[in-house]
Amino acid sequence: ETKTLEEDMAYTKQKIDAGADFAVTQMFFDNTYYFDFLERARKNEITIPILPGILPLTDIGKVKQFASICRSTIPKEIDEAMSRYTNQPEEMAKVGLDFTINQCRDLFQNGARRIHFYTLNRLAAMKTVLDALLRKLHPNTGNPDREKLFLHRELVAWRAPRAHALVEALRIAWRDRLA
């Protein structure tokens, strides 16, 4: 655990200089943290891809627990919006996933090419997020399977144990089609 942003960046640079091909951020809920981090990284001559780490929001109580471990902050507006539905888990998840979808759209619109999702094996939540992103990115697609494959290869990095091998296979299949 570092005490300053400068110390954190120096440690990050050490890991990258040791041979990292890409980096993944800790989870965050305010995209300005990601873009500020990218700017500091570039100033420190870090040029590898840095994927934003996104946790799909479904349960504000669990997110608060997880965020306290990672020392992440939750914007007051999302905390308040989700907390209104403490006794309505489906509504809470809808509010949280809408926030996650909008957060991802903002990242893509501002230059992110890939996103790492901390899925915590909540594949239904991930399906909701990915389907919404696909509709926005490719609203008139005639071949949704091809577009999903494109999305996995170009925009999304999965971490769920069961999904990881499938996504890697999709990446390889898509790469081979382009060859």
Side-chain angles (χ1 to χ4, degrees):
E1 304 260 340
T2 58
K3 293 182 177 25
T4 67
L5 292 176
E6 293 79 19
E7 187 180 313
D8 183 60
M9 189 57 65
Y11 183 60
T12 300
K13 178 87 167 119
Q14 265 184 335
K15 290 190 281 187
I16 290 165
D17 289 346
D21 295 324
F22 68 95
V24 177
T25 69
Q26 289 188 345
M27 68 176 190
F28 59 90
F29 306 103
D30 179 343
N31 290 353
T32 58
Y33 292 127
Y34 172 70
F35 294 115
D36 289 348
F37 181 78
L38 285 183
E39 187 175 320
R40 288 193 321 275
R42 300 306 175 235
K43 286 180 181 175
N44 282 275
E45 299 177 2
I46 296 172
T47 59
I48 63 170
I50 300 173
L51 283 63
I54 301 299
L55 176 70
L57 299 173
T58 57
D59 181 322
I60 194 65
K62 289 180 182 174
V63 170
K64 285 179 181 179
Q65 287 175 335
F66 199 48
S68 70
I69 294 167
C70 301
R71 298 188 316 175
S72 295
T73 59
I74 301 168
K76 182 179 178 183
E77 57 274 6
I78 192 63
D79 185 1
E80 290 175 354
M82 290 181 74
S83 293
R84 288 187 196 113
Y85 298 102
T86 302
N87 296 320
Q88 298 171 298
E90 294 85 14
E91 289 300 313
M92 181 186 293
K94 182 182 180 322
V95 169
L97 291 174
D98 285 346
F99 173 84
T100 301
I101 291 162
N102 289 327
Q103 180 183 21
C104 293
R105 286 178 179 156
D106 180 66
L107 288 165
F108 289 142
Q109 289 169 354
N110 287 289
R113 289 188 36 90
R114 293 176 174 85
I115 289 179
H116 173 92
F117 287 103
Y118 294 100
T119 66
L120 305 180
N121 288 325
R122 291 192 309 252
L123 298 181
M126 281 308 311
K127 181 179 180 333
T128 299
V129 171
L130 292 176
D131 285 348
L133 293 174
L134 281 169
R135 277 193 306 276
K136 182 71 173 180
L137 292 169
H138 305 285
N140 300 318
T141 183
N143 187 347
D145 291 338
R146 180 173 181 265
E147 298 303 336
K148 283 184 183 181
L149 192 57
F150 173 78
L151 181 72
H152 286 298
R153 183 184 180 282
E154 290 298 321
L155 304 176
V156 180
W158 281 73
R159 186 80 173 164
R162 287 181 291 217
H164 186 71
L166 171 63
V167 172
E168 190 57 35
L170 291 173
R171 285 187 190 132
I172 292 167
W174 183 252
R175 184 190 65 219
D176 291 347
R177 283 186 180 179
L178 292 176

